[in-house]
Amino acid sequence: MTPEAHSHTRRVAFHTLGCKLNQHETESIAADFRRAGYAIVPFGETADAYIINTCTVTAKADRKSRNTVNRALRSRSRSKSADSSDSTPPDSTPGDAGDAVPGVPGVSGDAGDAVPGVPGVPGLNLQALPAAVVVVTGCFVEASPDVYREVPGLYMLDNRRKSSAIEIVEAHLRGEIVIPERHTPAPFNFDTPSPVFRTRGTVKIQDGCNTGCSYCIIPVVRGRALSRPATEVCDAVRSNIERGYREIVLTGINMSRYHDGDTDFPSLLRQLLELPGEFRLRLSSLEPELLTEPLLDMIRHPRFMPHLHLCLQSGSDRILSLMNRGYTRAEFTRALEAIRAKVPDFHFTTDIIVGFPGETEADFQDSLDTVQELEFGHVHTFPYSSRSRTRAARMDGHVPESVKAERANTMRRASAAAKLRYRRSLLGREEEVLIERVVPGGAASGYGQRYVPVTLSGTGEHLKVNGLYKVVLSELDVADEPVFHARLL
């Protein structure tokens, strides 16, 4: 569909919560709308359609997902009538009571938060419903499918049908009856023909997970592990290279479980690294179980970026066993040391859960010691969040929220110190930077192959977005997030 097919240029707004896989899927959906002639606008602006890709990995993610949906409902109400501001409160900070929507099951709030178009609001005129459509997809939909089910003009789209968002919106705006469940599941229909939000080309190779970590809701909301055919993956990567992407990111829920016939993940990587063209390859995240010799053989390939996000979760063997992680602290450490023996400056980032049921001070100290010993470049710290339908939710020894918060703050301080030590160790080194932003006459910025942020001052007019440039990391600005200043070689 072209823009001329509409009486005006339709506008669509996106909001994404959660993982990099969600970000990639949103990017692809946005490209579909751009091809159809829609203007992509910031989420807070008036739009004909609002697309929200949600997360449910923690209770906080649930709250953010609900609050974002409620913002979209209020936005479409205000766009319908200038008088709606009398009954619709201004946007609130996520988590505030002002984000609640009365009449929606499971969402509490005051009467002043009423949203026109939501059942259960006294005096609602259904014929005056706003024309804008709201599509909610992602893992929150899988975990809480009925929360917004009865809201007119709002469609709940499960993960394996989320690529149908453009079809749902177009059908609604034509006045058709829309039943999302009738759309064919297409979990890998997410290739992006051109950049919309970012410069890297992302390729989804896998979805779902069979591991069964005791705390994790992902197998419930994403389903069992499903691998994309290797030929499709190679074609998608090749297509991204031909479109001009200089960096390709492979993403999935648990890529270590990738398997298509005789092709496992290391053999798939080998095929991709040998494709023709000028590009570099990055992994979004990986489970430690895959750090085997076949993968280690490829670590030093010039196209393989020396950065991995490896999910540790705890430094305590007792807690790792309760989590059902399938490895020990020593096994994790040996895997990292094997990689650093090949690439000494290899950059590792990780996840740590604090306050898991039964975690003692000694267990927490084990995690702190591990973070300090392994010199992670960054630690994503998560206070344990109980998820229904998981084994951990039924465990004894749940840690008080105040203790979890204290441990999280302590871990974040340790993470910040480790990050600073790692980045200082890179000063004076060469790095190849992918430029993502250029200010004419000013600075250019991007990320090096070790996924560290780099700024080049006073060179903006000479550099191009999506260009790769060799630099020397000459200075580290530690005022906030440690950022490298560099000079061109």
Side-chain angles (χ1 to χ4, degrees), residues 260-281:
D260 176 44
D262 295 331
T263 305
D264 60 8
F265 188 60
S267 57
L268 176 67
L269 277 182
R270 189 175 299 109
Q271 295 178 45
L272 298 178
L273 289 168
E274 297 306 321
L275 289 174
E278 186 179 358
F279 70 98
R280 60 193 204 181
L281 192 68

Side-chain angles (χ1 to χ4, degrees), residues 202-428:
T202 305
V203 175
K204 179 181 177 181
I205 71 167
Q206 186 272 341
D207 204 345
C209 185
N210 301 343
T211 301
C213 296
S214 62
Y215 56 83
C216 187
I217 192 69
I218 295 301
V220 176
V221 298
R222 282 278 183 175
R224 294 185 64 78
L226 181 65
S227 297
R228 187 176 188 179
T231 54
E232 288 188 16
V233 174
C234 290
D235 288 344
V237 171
R238 188 181 295 109
S239 178
N240 274 270
I241 296 168
E242 291 171 352
R243 294 175 196 137
Y245 285 103
R246 308 296 293 278
E247 182 170 301
I248 311 299
V249 182
L250 302 185
T251 188
I253 293 298
N254 187 349
M255 290 192 292
S256 63
R257 295 302 179 103
Y258 180 90
H259 205 278
D260 176 44
D262 295 331
T263 305
D264 60 8
F265 188 60
S267 57
L268 176 67
L269 277 182
R270 189 175 299 109
Q271 295 178 45
L272 298 178
L273 289 168
E274 297 306 321
L275 289 174
E278 186 179 358
F279 70 98
R280 60 193 204 181
L281 192 68
R282 191 181 299 281
L283 309 183
S284 60
S285 64
L286 209 61
E287 290 295 314
E289 64 196 75
L290 192 69
L291 295 182
T292 56
E293 282 302 320
L295 179 62
L296 293 177
D297 289 341
M298 287 175 283
I299 291 297
R300 297 186 67 180
H301 194 288
R303 286 177 170 168
F304 191 103
M305 292 298 93
H307 166 250
L308 283 175
H309 185 81
L310 295 174
C311 305
L312 172 60
Q313 306 300 9
S314 177
S316 162
D317 286 343
R318 192 178 72 85
I319 297 300
L320 287 172
S321 177
L322 289 174
M323 290 178 168
N324 195 35
R325 291 295 289 167
Y327 54 82
T328 65
R329 170 180 171 177
E331 290 168 340
F332 187 96
T333 299
R334 282 196 295 270
L336 266 63
E337 289 174 344
I339 293 179
R340 283 179 171 153
K342 296 178 180 291
V343 184
D345 297 326
F346 204 95
H347 185 199
F348 291 103
T349 55
T350 195
D351 295 337
I352 294 287
I353 296 173
V354 300
F356 188 80
E359 183 187 68
T360 64
E361 286 295 337
D363 294 320
F364 175 65
Q365 188 61 49
D366 284 343
S367 291
L368 273 179
D369 292 343
T370 305
V371 166
Q372 292 164 351
E373 291 168 7
L374 296 184
E375 293 291 324
F376 291 109
H378 182 70
V379 178
H380 294 280
T381 303
F382 301 92
Y384 168 75
S385 180
S386 180
R387 302 279 76 195
S388 62
R389 293 181 282 176
T390 64
R391 184 154 33 102
R394 302 188 296 273
M395 289 181 178
D396 296 329
H398 280 253
V399 177
E401 293 299 322
S402 59
V403 175
K404 287 192 285 186
E406 181 181 353
R407 291 178 183 174
N409 288 334
T410 301
M411 181 61 71
R412 290 182 183 119
R413 288 193 294 270
S415 168
K419 175 187 291 186
L420 190 56
R421 287 195 299 271
Y422 173 74
R423 293 193 181 176
R424 281 177 171 161
S425 74
L426 298 179
L427 281 170

Side-chain angles (χ1 to χ4, degrees), residues 1 5-12 33 36 38 47-51 76 130-135 153 155 165-178:
M1 183 175 295
H6 303 306
S7 59
H8 67 283
T9 298
R10 286 178 173 163
R11 296 156 58 89
V12 59
F33 277 89
Y38 285 73
D48 298 280
Y50 299 88
I51 314 297
R76 77 172 187 178
V133 55
V134 177
V135 175
Y155 300 99
I166 181 67
E167 300 170 37
I168 299 290
V169 169
E170 291 280 77
H172 173 89
L173 295 177
R174 288 194 299 265
E176 298 174 4
I177 295 174
V178 179

Side-chain angles (χ1 to χ4, degrees), residues 149-162:
R149 184 68 68 185
E150 303 302 321
V151 179
L154 185 150
Y155 300 99
M156 304 282 275
L157 198 57
D158 64 63
N159 273 320
R160 297 198 173 182
R161 291 179 174 84
K162 69 169 63 171

